[in-house]
Amino acid sequence: MFSRMWARVSGFAQKNKALTTIGVITSRYCISDVMVQSLQQRDDPSITIDWRRTFVMGSFGFTWSVTSAHLMYVKVYPWMFSVLPKMGTQPKHLVTIAVDMVAHMQCYYYPAFYCLQEFMKDVREGIFRPTGEIASSAWTNYTNNFVEDFANMCVVWVPLHLINFNFVPLHFRTPFIALAGFLWAARLSFLRGAATVSDENAKAE
């Protein structure tokens, strides 16, 4: 029974790579944020779950999955792996991981996260700053948190990528990163998800 169910899931994922990627990643960011807020609520009963914060995290997961996650992990990295100069498999994996950590994550993932966070902050407050001002605020957050964000990212993602590139079939690579990266989504929610709430509380005070 389990083998037949797994075969159906695998078949669906293989035929619908993009849809699988979007669904799994978006769900991951939503569920992980609710879990983090629930744990915070257990420690402090006065805290209530902020569904708008969950919406921000879920929106980012959706945006990232639609714009770059599927493209990079299923298309670009396999292509890059095939055209790298002749070298051992592990060196190719390390080069691919380095490109992901330095180029993809630093040049797109984090900037996109902070830009969306700033935009959703305006939506929540009912104001709309010029695009340049939103980008400037996002850039300030990005640069201020760069060292900590980069360190946290490497601790989680480098081991996951080593497993992903070495052992996971191509059509399951992005879903694997989405599921195994549940820990990362929860960590991101814990470290950065409450930023908008803190800003609003500060203004209220």
Side-chain angles (χ1 to χ4, degrees), residues 85-105:
K86 293 182 178 180
M87 60 177 68
T89 300
Q90 287 304 322
K92 286 187 177 183
H93 288 156
L94 293 176
V95 170
T96 304
I97 292 171
V99 170
D100 188 61
M101 296 292 100
V102 177
H104 178 210
M105 305 300 280

Side-chain angles (χ1 to χ4, degrees), residues 2 24 44 48 68 90 92 114 124 128 135 147 153-154 186 196:
F2 178 79
V24 172
D44 184 356
T48 58
S68 75
Q90 287 304 322
K92 286 187 177 183
Y114 286 118
R124 295 174 64 169
F128 295 96
V147 174
M153 177 190 64
C154 288
T196 302

Side-chain angles (χ1 to χ4, degrees), residues 106-164:
Q106 300 307 317
C107 296
Y108 181 80
Y109 180 89
Y110 276 121
F113 173 76
Y114 286 118
C115 282
L116 181 62
Q117 190 177 58
E118 288 296 317
F119 173 75
M120 293 305 299
K121 185 190 301 183
D122 283 5
V123 172
R124 295 174 64 169
E125 296 175 357
I127 61 173
F128 295 96
R129 292 172 291 169
T131 303
E133 187 176 340
I134 292 177
S136 178
S137 297
W139 176 254
T140 299
N141 292 333
Y142 170 74
T143 53
N144 288 343
N145 298 325
F146 177 82
V147 174
E148 183 181 2
D149 284 345
F150 186 75
N152 284 320
M153 177 190 64
C154 288
V155 168
V156 175
W157 285 97
V158 171
L160 290 179
H161 279 315
L162 287 173
I163 295 172
N164 195 34

